Amino acid sequence: MPKLKDLQARMKSIQDTQKLTNAMYMIASNRRRKSLSYLEHALPFFEAIRGEINQALAKVHRLDSHYLFPEKTAESKQETWGILVISADRGLAGAYNLNVFKETDRLLAQCPGSAKLYLLGRQAQDHYHKRPIETVDLPHLDQLPPSFATARELSSQLLAAYDQGSLQKAFVVYTDLVNPLQEAAKSTRLLPFHREKLPEDLDKTAGASQSHDTDFVYYPDAESVVQSLIRCYFTGFVYGALLDSLSSEENSRLNAMHQANDNARELLDLLRVQRNLARQETITSAISEVSAGAKAQEHDRAKRR
């Protein structure tokens, strides 16, 4: 059995670590709450933008834009994919970063040509710098939760590369907070934008509200308006992915710290039992030594008589 002094030192070390995990638990809980609040307020606006894009595509036939996915196309082996990978700067978040890497690798396996990774987060940068693939390190987030200006700055690099023709498709890999106990790494293609048709009931509703005239006038033209909306939606999706990933990261860290606290309590309970046994053994040994000494003195006195 370990010595009493060693057991006490180990218990103190675990208690100090438990203070740290408790603090990280509280910080993660606060950050998750803030990011979810920002996400809840931001999503309706960008969903409305998506609806406006669909409305424009439904009203303007044969709209031609490099931001829109062609109706009939075949994947080229020469095309280059740009993939924005959102990971964490820190560890101690369970399997959060590992799931992001798995989803990114799955997407890379589907790429028919070459790929260029835009890495956000130290964990992704450390992971993919060791592999023979072209990467671009994005600046770290200065504030949490991130602002829309930060999302615009990050997305501008992918948009510029796509406009120049160096990228044929743009993806984002992020983590979605499914529920407080589950996060799921996802990948979404943002460019070219999906051509979608409006549901019949939505089209009828739009026609009923504008029965006098169902045509829209776009200025300067429909293509410019749709491109502007798509660029705004691209940035908005990146902003939402940042907030969703941050919420998932902090939720994963919160669960990891909760599990660490539970493990620490179980280990402390076990060590307390061992400490009590060690104390009892020490006391028993001391009593035995005192009893043996007393008997020896009594035996010595009996001899002298």
Side-chain angles (χ1 to χ4, degrees):
M1 180 177 292
K3 295 182 179 179
L4 179 61
K5 185 177 181 180
D6 295 336
L7 288 172
Q8 290 177 337
R10 189 177 179 189
M11 288 180 64
K12 185 178 184 307
S13 176
I14 294 175
Q15 288 170 346
D16 291 340
T17 303
Q18 195 174 28
K19 292 178 182 178
L20 180 61
T21 56
N22 279 329
M24 294 182 66
Y25 179 91
M26 297 301 294
I27 293 173
S29 177
N30 184 52
R31 285 181 174 175
R32 184 187 67 171
R33 178 184 58 80
K34 285 185 177 180
S35 56
L36 284 175
S37 176
Y38 276 76
L39 182 62
E40 182 180 357
H41 287 83
L43 282 180
F45 173 70
F46 297 107
E47 287 301 320
I49 293 179
R50 185 184 182 91
E52 291 300 322
I53 296 173
N54 289 336
Q55 286 278 9
L57 295 179
K59 300 300 180 183
V60 181
H61 301 287
R62 298 180 181 179
L63 182 63
D64 186 19
S65 172
H66 70 291
Y67 285 138
L68 297 176
F69 197 81
E71 296 180 356
K72 295 181 180 180
T73 184
E75 290 187 346
S76 171
K77 295 183 179 180
Q78 303 299 324
E79 68 181 12
T80 302
W81 290 7
I83 305 175
L84 171 61
V85 182
I86 303 176
S87 71
D89 286 330
R90 299 172 294 146
L92 299 178
Y96 171 81
N97 291 299
L98 180 59
N99 292 334
V100 171
F101 301 154
K102 287 182 177 180
E103 180 62 22
T104 303
D105 293 340
R106 185 193 67 81
L107 191 60
L108 288 173
Q110 297 178 357
C111 180
S114 59
K116 186 175 183 180
L117 299 183
Y118 293 79
L119 306 176
L120 177 64
R122 291 186 178 89
Q123 297 295 322
Q125 293 171 4
D126 293 341
H127 181 77
Y128 285 104
H129 283 175
K130 303 174 184 178
R131 299 177 56 176
I133 187 171
E134 185 178 2
T135 60
V136 176
D137 292 346
L138 298 176
H140 301 294
L141 299 178
D142 296 329
Q143 65 181 60
L144 296 176
S147 64
F148 185 71
T150 301
R152 184 185 294 112
E153 180 182 354
L154 296 176
S155 60
S156 62
Q157 297 193 38
L158 278 85
L159 286 170
Y162 185 84
D163 290 337
Q164 294 169 3
S166 57
L167 298 179
Q168 282 69 53
K169 289 182 181 179
F171 296 81
V172 59
V173 177
Y174 66 103
T175 306
D176 178 40
L177 182 59
V178 180
N179 56 60
L181 297 177
Q182 182 183 4
E183 308 92 24
K186 295 183 177 181
S187 59
T188 301
R189 191 192 78 201
L190 296 181
L191 291 176
F193 192 81
H194 297 263
R195 291 180 181 266
E196 297 179 359
K197 294 182 179 180
L198 285 175
E200 292 184 1
D201 56 344
L202 181 59
D203 196 16
K204 291 178 181 179
T205 303
S209 62
Q210 302 178 15
S211 57
H212 62 284
D213 187 7
T214 58
D215 293 331
F216 291 90
V217 177
Y218 297 94
Y219 181 82
D221 54 67
E223 182 177 350
S224 299
V225 172
V226 171
Q227 287 186 2
S228 178
L229 286 173
I230 290 178
R231 290 177 66 90
C232 187
Y233 178 77
F234 185 97
T235 303
F237 193 98
V238 171
Y239 178 60
L242 289 174
L243 293 175
D244 206 0
S245 294
L246 177 60
S247 302
S248 301
E249 176 192 348
E250 298 303 340
N251 187 74
S252 181
R253 182 171 289 110
L254 188 148
N255 291 331
M257 294 303 102
H258 180 73
Q259 184 65 39
N261 287 334
D262 289 345
N263 293 339
R265 282 192 291 268
E266 292 179 3
L267 187 56
L268 284 173
D269 291 340
L270 178 61
L271 290 176
R272 286 192 185 97
V273 173
Q274 294 183 3
R275 182 190 62 183
N276 293 338
L277 292 175
R279 281 180 175 175
Q280 184 177 0
E281 183 178 347
T282 302
I283 294 172
T284 302
S285 177
I287 293 175
S288 299
E289 291 177 0
V290 171
S291 177
K295 288 182 180 180
Q297 289 181 356
E298 184 179 355
H299 182 69
D300 184 55
R301 286 196 296 266
K303 281 185 177 182
R304 291 178 180 177
R305 293 176 185 173

